Amino acid sequence: MSFAGTPHSGPLSPADFYTQALAEADAGKRRRLFADARQSNPASYQLWVKAAEVEEHWGADETKLKDLLSRGITVFKNPGGTHCTENHDHSTHSVSGIADGPVSKDIWLNEASAAEKGGKSKTAAALHEAVGEVL
């Protein structure tokens, strides 16, 4: 049984998430793995890209990938998280270890290039599109 704020299957590293999710055909179980990995690694923006790569592996279309990546970009655009909607300097926030402020557009585009080089062209295209719309 999972309690709020506690990963269902214990701490899950990004590498373990990726390996387990690639092998998991059940979309619900993949979502649970992603939730556990996000809980275990809240400062890992790369986790969102890995989740998109997993979903591309399982046949997700570019629209679904873009939606997923847009949510990730939004979380790291505002280091206070999506819950902070106040009109103030968001750089005063930190997300469990992100004290340097939001993840930049260039960093996201580097992730898109890495995905493209790794053979994940739908993820790369979706990330480029999401970056253009969100940032």
Side-chain angles (χ1 to χ4, degrees), residues 21-106:
L22 280 177
E24 182 55 67
D26 183 280
K29 290 180 182 177
R30 288 195 309 272
R31 282 191 295 275
R32 178 75 253 169
L33 287 168
F34 184 48
D36 288 350
R38 284 192 330 264
Q39 185 67 33
S40 299
N41 307 280
S44 178
Y45 66 89
Q46 301 94 331
L47 192 58
W48 291 84
V49 178
K50 290 299 180 192
E53 290 178 1
V54 165
E55 292 308 312
E56 179 177 351
H57 171 80
W58 287 105
D61 64 19
E62 198 172 314
T63 301
K64 185 172 184 172
L65 298 175
K66 187 182 101 180
D67 289 346
L68 172 66
L69 292 164
S70 292
R71 286 193 309 270
I73 291 168
T74 299
V75 168
F76 287 95
K77 176 181 172 184
N78 174 5
T82 56
H83 65 277
C84 184
T85 57
E86 295 178 36
N87 186 15
H88 67 139
D89 180 9
H90 295 290
S91 67
T92 60
H93 297 301
S94 69
V95 175
S96 299
I98 301 178
D100 297 335
V103 178
S104 75
K105 183 177 183 176
D106 290 336

Side-chain angles (χ1 to χ4, degrees), residues 109-122:
L109 293 176
N110 285 337
E111 290 295 322
S113 294
E116 183 73 42
K117 288 177 186 168
K120 300 296 183 188
S121 59
K122 281 186 188 178

